[in-house]
Amino acid sequence: MYKSIKNILFATDLSDSAKDALKYAISLAEKHQAKITAFHVLPDVMENFFWGAGFEMDMHFDAEAWKEVTEGRHATALEIISKHIEEVRKGIEEAKDVSVRVKVEIGHPVKNLLEESEQGYDLIVMGTMGHSKFEDMILGSVATGVVRRCKIPVMVVPLADKKE
């Protein structure tokens, strides 16, 4: 017998593809009376830049300024996710009572998603989209990394109105 779906991890990169995946997550949550955690990972720009630059940037640049930039990105992500949730709820009448918690972290998307997936979730729902016919043959790098390593089922949703 399959495990019931009571906790859904919705992974979002804030794209239109993720917004389409949110429709599936909310629909599944409504059908199974499950809770959703909308989860977004902000890449650690400072760490990535350190790595590429080959030196400790915080020794050369104001750490407080970087902190303000990160806090701004965090607030923007929360705003976009909340907007997507409200837009999808307007289109799915039964979804108004679905519980959606929003969580935004800084780090590596695949690593953070895999770590979060081990916190009692039954399913991950995420979007993917290709920009060309070649990319349509493979999943995005985050989706691929999660699908390959995740210990729970992953539902990958393509962009619904993708242009040919």
Side-chain angles (χ1 to χ4, degrees):
M1 177 158 206
Y2 291 102
K3 186 175 178 182
S4 64
I5 299 172
K6 293 298 174 197
N7 291 302
I8 298 170
L9 179 58
F10 163 63
T12 178
D13 62 0
L14 312 177
S15 67
D16 287 339
S17 180
K19 190 173 166 184
D20 281 348
L22 177 59
K23 294 173 187 175
Y24 281 89
I26 287 179
S27 181
L28 284 166
E30 191 275 326
K31 180 176 182 173
H32 294 276
Q33 296 160 357
K35 297 176 184 174
I36 298 174
T37 297
F39 188 73
H40 177 67
V41 180
L42 293 165
D44 188 339
V45 175
M46 195 168 180
E47 182 179 315
N48 291 342
F49 200 66
F50 286 166
W51 188 258
F55 64 91
E56 297 285 332
M57 280 192 50
D58 58 348
M59 296 176 77
H60 303 281
F61 296 96
D62 182 15
E64 282 302 311
W66 279 106
K67 183 179 176 185
E68 287 179 27
V69 168
T70 299
E71 288 171 356
R73 291 171 54 228
H74 189 275
T76 299
L78 288 172
E79 184 179 314
I80 292 169
I81 294 167
S82 296
K83 179 182 168 195
H84 284 181
I85 291 167
E86 289 311 309
E87 287 176 7
V88 170
R89 280 189 173 164
K90 286 179 185 174
I92 304 173
E93 181 64 31
E94 305 83 23
K96 290 181 180 172
D97 295 327
V98 172
S99 171
V100 182
R101 176 177 74 123
V102 179
K103 189 172 181 181
V104 177
E105 292 183 355
I106 298 169
H108 186 276
V110 174
K111 179 179 178 270
N112 288 48
L113 271 167
L114 291 172
E115 287 172 358
E116 183 68 19
S117 74
E118 295 175 358
Q119 303 306 311
Y121 296 99
D122 305 306
L123 174 71
I124 295 177
V125 177
M126 62 191 309
T128 188
M129 103 178 140
H131 298 284
S132 68
K133 291 194 184 272
F134 174 74
E135 288 176 345
D136 286 342
M137 293 187 287
I138 59 173
L139 296 175
S141 60
V142 173
T144 299
V146 171
V147 167
R148 285 185 179 164
R149 296 180 189 98
C150 196
K151 296 175 182 166
I152 63 171
V154 180
M155 178 182 198
V156 180
V157 180
L159 183 62
D161 60 349
K162 193 185 315 186
K163 312 255 187 308
E164 292 295 319

